[in-house]
Amino acid sequence: MPQAVGIGGRKVYLRAMNEISPIVRPKQRKPDWIRVKAPTSTGFAETKKLMRRLNLATVCEEAACPNIGECWTKKHATVMILGDTCTRACAFCNVKTGMPRAVNPLEPQHTADAAAELGLEHIVITSVDRDDLPDGGASQFVKVIEALRRTTPSTTIEILTPDFRNKAQSAVEKIIEARPDVYNHNLETVPRLYPTIRPGARYYASLRLLESVKRHDPSIFTKSGVMVGLGEERLEVHQVMDDMRSADIDFLTMGQYLQPTPRHAKVAEFVTPQAFAAYAAIARAKGFLLVAASPLTRSSYHAGDDFAKMRAAREAKLAAAR
């Protein structure tokens, strides 16, 4: 039976990973285009040491990102605030599920200290879902943004938030007032697959969240990502693109879903680089300011370079309109 815990004054059943898929299957062999080398560099070791010294979690580690070796070698790390334990149990995600610990009051300043020590020009901050907190953790995002502005004011800030289920309007407004440079929230997959892949979330609620960012402050860039290879149909992906553009989302990221353990959702298909290129061409034609689509693309992969490209694309668009 699932374990029952009290979250936000109600009883929630957290599924053990073996209940997501009771049959343990061997992981599929990855094609050549998606294999990466094991991280061994000095830069990687130094980044890891810094994260441990400051007691910071990273999505790079917790979500088993395939790009961790490349990014950490360059001393680019994506900090995951609000701890390392999520109150959801999504079938694609490797972050552990359970009852989280109390929010660490030192986490905002430690995040800013890490950005300063790494010399980051652009930082991505994400978090676990915290359905147990009255504001879903929005106030911690605000504190992190404020700490970064004080400590390393030249660093541009990108946040990747959860959906703040049942708290979205007030939570998002609070974060918008802190003025991050980029507001990212991933749709993850097509609506049809939500019940099995992202059961704790609602597709249209996520779209409305992103739409509300633009409505409150059009100057903030908005960004969202989807995984492919979960059994989605091509036209379903095209419809997600249309939905994103209807919400005025600036930047689309697309990457290959990889099964983190045999107990997670199985890979239905390894999408070829050529198919990613075709998706990217269609997305650009639909009007996104920027599109990143490749097997290894992830939300924060090359985020700093992409932010510079997105800002330049907006400036060129405004210049052309004048």
Side-chain angles (χ1 to χ4, degrees):
M1 288 289 293
Q3 177 189 4
V5 298
I7 293 178
R10 57 195 173 87
K11 190 171 285 187
V12 174
Y13 289 91
L14 300 176
R15 295 171 297 157
M17 287 311 304
N18 63 358
E19 293 180 44
I20 292 174
S21 179
I23 301 172
V24 178
R25 308 180 185 93
K27 287 204 288 186
Q28 293 167 278
R29 181 177 173 83
K30 296 174 185 174
D32 291 340
W33 64 75
I34 209 158
R35 294 181 193 171
V36 294
K37 294 180 179 179
T40 58
S41 70
T42 301
F44 175 89
E46 290 174 350
T47 302
K48 184 172 184 178
K49 185 178 179 181
L50 176 63
M51 294 301 114
R52 297 296 79 78
R53 175 162 59 82
L54 294 174
N55 193 29
L56 293 173
T58 70
V59 75
C60 321
E61 297 168 286
E62 304 301 331
C65 179
N67 303 313
I68 187 171
E70 177 187 343
C71 294
W72 281 27
T73 294
K74 298 176 181 177
K75 298 194 174 182
H76 294 168
T78 298
V79 175
M80 189 171 74
I81 64 172
L82 296 167
D84 63 357
T85 304
C86 188
T87 55
R88 307 273 178 96
C90 296
F92 66 87
C93 184
N94 198 48
V95 175
K96 67 182 177 182
T97 300
M99 191 62 181
R101 298 176 183 175
V103 176
N104 180 1
L106 300 178
E107 194 176 56
Q109 189 57 51
H110 284 179
T111 300
D113 292 342
E117 290 194 42
L118 292 170
L120 296 180
E121 295 180 0
H122 184 84
I123 188 169
V124 182
I125 309 296
T126 189
S127 81
V128 290
D129 279 283
R130 290 297 300 261
D131 296 314
D132 58 311
L133 299 176
D135 68 350
S139 58
Q140 190 76 338
F141 273 98
V142 172
K143 290 173 184 176
V144 169
I145 293 169
E146 291 172 346
L148 285 162
R149 298 292 188 213
R150 286 193 308 268
T151 307
T152 175
S154 63
T155 301
T156 50
I157 302 169
E158 179 173 331
I159 58 166
L160 171 55
T161 76
D163 61 5
F164 300 116
R165 186 174 61 195
N166 302 325
K167 313 171 181 82
Q169 183 173 348
S170 60
V172 171
E173 287 175 2
K174 191 182 298 185
I175 294 172
I176 291 169
E177 288 174 6
R179 292 191 52 77
D181 297 283
V182 182
Y183 195 118
N184 186 359
H185 172 65
N186 287 332
L187 295 183
E188 305 292 9
T189 189
V190 301
R192 177 175 57 85
L193 296 179
Y194 262 56
T196 54
I197 300 302
R198 201 180 176 215
R202 300 294 178 267
Y203 177 80
Y204 289 103
S206 287
L207 268 178
R208 286 194 296 271
L209 183 157
L210 288 157
E211 188 176 37
S212 71
V213 174
K214 279 294 187 187
R215 187 169 62 249
H216 283 90
D217 190 341
S219 70
I220 296 175
F221 290 103
T222 51
K223 177 176 174 180
S224 190
V226 293
M227 303 170 289
V228 293
L230 281 162
E232 68 289 330
E233 299 292 337
R234 180 172 53 85
L235 292 181
E236 289 180 306
V237 177
H238 294 175
Q239 183 61 56
V240 170
M241 293 178 188
D242 287 335
D243 292 342
M244 286 185 179
R245 290 303 303 132
S246 294
D248 203 18
I249 292 168
D250 297 303
F251 185 6
L252 165 65
T253 61
M254 295 182 66
Q256 170 71 51
Y257 166 68
L258 297 175
Q259 184 182 17
T261 77
R263 294 187 177 90
H264 285 80
K266 188 177 180 181
V267 175
E269 176 190 10
F270 284 108
V271 179
T272 66
Q274 293 78 12
F276 273 104
Y279 275 135
I282 291 167
R284 291 187 190 101
K286 290 180 182 293
F288 289 96
L289 275 181
L290 195 66
V291 178
S294 74
L296 289 173
T297 292
R298 297 295 183 268
S299 291
S300 55
Y301 190 44
H302 297 161
D305 293 340
D306 286 339
F307 174 71
K309 292 175 186 175
M310 185 163 54
R311 187 160 53 182
R314 174 187 280 176
E315 290 170 358
K317 187 175 180 180
L318 291 173
R322 289 194 294 268

